Amino acid sequence: MYIFSMDNPFFRFVGRCVDLVWINILTLVCAIPVFTAGAALTAMYRVLLNITLKQESGITKEFFRAFKENFKSATRVFLPVLLAFLILFSNAYMIRQGVLDGWGDLYIVVCVSIGIIAGLLAIFLQYYTSLLARYDASVKQTIQNAIRLMFACFPQSLCMVIILISPIALMLLSNYFMGFWFLYGISFPAYFIAMILGKIYTRVEGRDSEGTEPENAAEEENELGSDES
């Protein structure tokens, strides 16, 4: 009967939830040493982009293959970004302790600046790791493409920030959501971000839903690099 078929929407939904839990666990475990977090995020996006673009393969095998292939390129960029985040958070902590009390409008300017820079770094990291996961290009070229896309696709980039903030907001609202973070806190928001990125990359690659290609498709795809998926 169809109701017991694995193609049933309910079973597909349950299966996808289980997949996201496993991807979340893989990402968390591989990110434990901290300096490996960039490679873990890259591997996660390789798997999630394959899922959202209907190019699925074995999750565990594909994850560790991408982790190994992109470890050096991911780490070279992730560590400076991590350092920048630490500097921003330390400044935010000092401001919270009252370092800028009595500074008037400067207090607001500094707080807003920290928020904007942190948001831009977070967006950049999503583009960089996902581009690295999907395309064969140099680190320099991938950085340039990530910066270009984060501003060229600003509405989508803004959506990514909102998606990234959502799990943090939930945890601040209640401690009950801590369990959610360990199960889905990374993979769940990244899954929706991968949907956004998948549409961007599909458009850049020149493939629409009908399989047609614009005249400049080859040129745009060469700018990103060769598709590894």
Side-chain angles (χ1 to χ4, degrees):
M1 296 177 62
Y2 177 71
I3 192 172
F4 297 112
S5 172
M6 294 306 295
D7 291 329
N8 184 294
F10 173 75
F11 286 112
R12 291 205 303 269
F13 172 76
V14 172
R16 183 63 69 226
C17 289
V18 173
D19 289 343
L20 290 178
V21 170
W22 180 233
I23 294 170
N24 199 73
I25 292 172
L26 288 174
T27 306
L28 284 173
V29 170
C30 290
I32 286 176
V34 180
F35 73 92
T36 61
L41 291 175
T42 302
M44 177 190 68
Y45 273 119
R46 168 75 68 81
V47 174
L48 291 177
L49 284 171
N50 285 350
I51 290 174
T52 57
L53 295 175
K54 310 299 182 183
Q55 300 170 350
E56 296 183 54
S57 56
I59 290 176
T60 305
K61 181 179 179 180
E62 189 66 20
F63 184 95
F64 284 108
R65 185 166 76 92
F67 184 90
K68 181 179 179 180
E69 289 177 353
N70 300 293
F71 180 82
K72 291 183 179 179
S73 298
T75 305
R76 283 175 59 186
V77 172
F78 175 77
L79 290 181
V81 172
L82 177 62
L83 178 61
F85 271 123
L86 292 175
I87 294 173
L88 290 174
F89 290 150
S90 63
N91 288 336
Y93 177 79
M94 288 188 293
I95 290 173
R96 188 176 181 181
Q97 298 303 310
V99 173
L100 295 182
D101 285 355
W103 287 51
D105 293 339
L106 181 61
Y107 174 87
I108 298 175
V109 172
V110 173
C111 290
V112 171
S113 299
I114 289 175
I116 292 174
I117 295 172
L120 290 174
L121 285 174
I123 298 171
F124 168 77
L125 197 59
Q126 311 312 305
Y127 278 111
Y128 179 79
T129 53
S130 60
L131 283 168
L132 196 62
R134 185 159 179 81
Y135 300 100
D136 183 13
S138 66
V139 171
K140 180 180 179 180
Q141 185 179 12
T142 304
I143 292 174
Q144 292 173 343
N145 290 332
I147 295 173
R148 185 185 302 126
L149 286 174
M150 64 187 287
F151 290 108
C153 305
F154 187 76
Q156 294 93 324
S157 299
L158 190 59
C159 287
M160 292 182 201
V161 173
I162 296 172
I163 292 172
L164 288 171
I165 292 175
S166 298
I168 300 174
L170 288 175
M171 287 190 293
L172 292 176
L173 288 174
S174 174
N175 292 331
Y176 290 109
F177 288 103
M178 285 297 295
F180 169 86
W181 191 86
F182 284 109
L183 291 176
Y184 293 104
I186 299 177
S187 63
F188 189 74
Y191 177 66
F192 290 100
I193 291 175
M195 290 183 179
I196 297 173
L197 292 170
K199 291 181 180 179
I200 293 174
Y201 298 158
T202 298
R203 186 174 68 248
V204 171
E205 291 167 7
R207 296 195 297 268
D208 60 18
S209 58
E210 297 178 355
T212 57
E213 293 191 4
E215 294 180 358
N216 62 342
E219 180 180 351
E220 288 180 324
E221 187 170 358
N222 286 335
E223 291 180 357
L224 291 181
S226 304
D227 187 351
E228 288 187 333
S229 299

